Amino acid sequence: MKRILVLHTGGTIAMKEDTLTGGVSPDVSNPLMDAPIHIDDDVELIVEDIFNIPSPHMTPKEMLQLKQRIQLAHLSGVDGVVITHGTDTLEETAFFLDTTIGGQLPIVVTGAMRSSNEIGSDGLYNFESAIRVAKSPDAIGKGVLVVMNDEIHSARYVTKTHTTNIATFRTPTLGPIGLVTKHRILFMQELLNNHHLDVDRVDGLFPIVKAYAGMTGELFDALADSLIDGLVIEALGAGNLPPQTIEPLKKLIARNIPVVLVSRCFNGVAEPVYDYLGGGIELQALGVIFCNSINSQKARIKLLIAKNRGLTMDELPDFMEN
């Protein structure tokens, strides 16, 4: 008998549409708690309504609470975990759990793009698919997975790509690592090793700034005089910034504030290629840390974890770059 812990956190999958106004909002109770789902006889579900909040209300504190609950369940012999979650910040929660817990046991995060009483609601199907993946022996050691719309994605790379489409979750460049079929769970890609760090707190302020054509240095000047603990920059192209930002950026680095750089591009990786004022080669020489192949919201989660674990400025680059 496989024991699967289900942690409901809210989100569209737990909401209903008002038939008069069309507005979608949290229901008094989670409709998944009483929903008729079809599971195999060899599965025992342990269901907890741990939160009932919209996805934008999720913070690292709730992510930490989820992590601690999962680790406690692992000690009690649970075989896998399914988390239902709002889609807006789903990838951040999944990445936080993947970076702190890793592959200790199968953890599958799922959600829905249509609320429970809308035509074509996808929540119940995604929920059942997630349970099937969580009980699969092939999911062991795969880290945290995101399962929606018959696809299995790695938490490390998946991102939300469409505001409303049920096929919103995509993995740029690499694609899904597996598929959910009528009768089988198919994994078709091997995953790279990921660095894991456990934490017991999630303190600090780590903003994200997006670069744009004609960007000047006022924002970096203001941040240099603030109380931030780290900064993530969505840079241009392969990892470049407008030249007017460089001097203010130096002030941030001089204060030992870690500055992590990703690309604002949807595909590809950030790397120091260009050798001109504001180019990636100069930025790396200044001490900017290039974060390989993940987006800004995940780089922020990773930086938050690193700082709360107490990594030094010398240790940060290796953790952030891999």
Side-chain angles (χ1 to χ4, degrees):
M1 180 72 71
K2 288 286 184 77
R3 299 174 68 233
I4 305 295
L5 173 65
V6 176
L7 298 174
H8 293 307
T9 71
T12 300
I13 194 170
M15 295 184 185
K16 286 187 176 179
E17 181 184 59
D18 188 300
T19 55
L20 295 177
T21 67
V24 176
S25 60
D27 201 6
V28 176
S29 60
N30 189 332
L32 288 174
M33 296 296 287
D34 301 316
I37 59 172
H38 303 90
I39 58 172
D40 296 334
D41 294 335
D42 63 344
V43 174
E44 174 192 356
L45 295 185
I46 306 162
V47 182
E48 297 180 13
D49 205 19
I50 189 168
F51 310 124
N52 188 15
I53 58 176
S55 188
H57 295 193
M58 184 68 66
T59 74
K61 290 184 178 179
E62 283 80 26
M63 298 176 195
L64 181 65
Q65 190 174 337
L66 284 170
K67 179 196 77 76
Q68 292 168 338
R69 179 65 188 95
I70 292 168
Q71 289 175 320
L72 184 63
H74 180 51
L75 292 175
S76 69
V78 163
D79 299 294
V81 178
V82 170
I83 300 170
T84 63
H85 197 291
T87 58
D88 285 352
T89 58
L90 184 152
E91 66 190 87
E92 287 160 90
T93 296
F95 186 78
F96 177 87
L97 296 174
D98 189 56
T99 306
T100 55
I101 297 179
Q104 293 178 10
L105 75 170
I107 302 171
V108 181
V109 190
T110 192
M113 295 302 292
R114 296 172 184 158
S115 57
S116 60
N117 62 335
E118 290 184 66
I119 294 175
S121 176
D122 53 327
L124 196 57
Y125 181 81
N126 287 336
F127 183 36
E128 289 187 6
S129 297
I131 294 170
R132 289 179 58 200
V133 173
K135 64 160 283 193
S136 169
D138 293 333
I140 297 172
K142 295 289 196 300
V144 178
L145 303 171
V146 173
V147 172
M148 288 185 67
N149 201 39
D150 285 333
E151 293 183 341
I152 306 170
H153 294 264
S154 164
R156 184 174 183 181
Y157 300 117
V158 72
T159 190
K160 185 175 181 179
T161 65
H162 197 286
T163 55
T164 57
N165 196 304
I166 61 170
T168 182
F169 280 94
R170 291 280 183 259
T171 299
T173 306
L174 303 173
I177 66 169
L179 298 174
V180 178
T181 74
K182 284 288 186 182
H183 304 292
R184 300 174 63 189
I185 305 299
L186 300 175
F187 286 95
M188 298 178 295
Q189 287 194 47
E190 291 295 324
L191 300 175
L192 296 172
N193 290 329
N194 192 14
H195 285 185
H196 305 293
L197 284 179
D198 200 356
V199 291
D200 57 12
R201 57 190 178 90
V202 285
D203 302 328
L205 181 60
F206 303 90
I208 298 171
V209 173
K210 188 168 188 171
Y212 51 88
M215 185 180 192
T216 54
E218 287 84 357
L219 183 53
F220 288 151
D221 269 327
L223 289 172
D225 294 330
S226 71
L227 297 177
I228 65 172
D229 298 280
L231 176 65
V232 175
I233 301 175
E234 278 193 29
L236 307 172
N240 312 300
L241 290 175
Q244 293 85 353
T245 65
I246 300 307
E247 289 304 315
L249 189 60
K250 290 179 181 178
K251 296 178 185 178
L252 281 164
I253 295 171
R255 283 190 51 204
N256 283 326
I257 295 174
V259 178
V260 173
L261 183 145
V262 301
S263 175
R264 72 177 192 177
C265 296
F266 182 71
N267 280 294
V269 300
E271 55 184 354
V273 174
Y274 289 96
D275 192 6
Y276 49 69
L277 182 59
I281 290 176
E282 180 188 24
L283 296 176
Q284 187 180 56
L286 290 176
V288 173
I289 301 168
F290 280 68
C291 196
N292 186 12
S293 70
I294 59 175
N295 58 28
S296 60
Q297 53 267 38
K298 291 181 181 178
R300 176 187 171 272
I301 292 291
K302 199 168 187 179
L303 181 57
L304 180 150
I305 291 169
K307 292 291 286 183
N308 278 276
R309 184 57 184 263
L311 265 61
T312 66
M313 291 294 286
D314 290 335
E315 294 170 324
L316 268 174
D318 183 59
F319 178 68
M320 296 301 301
E321 293 168 3
N322 297 292

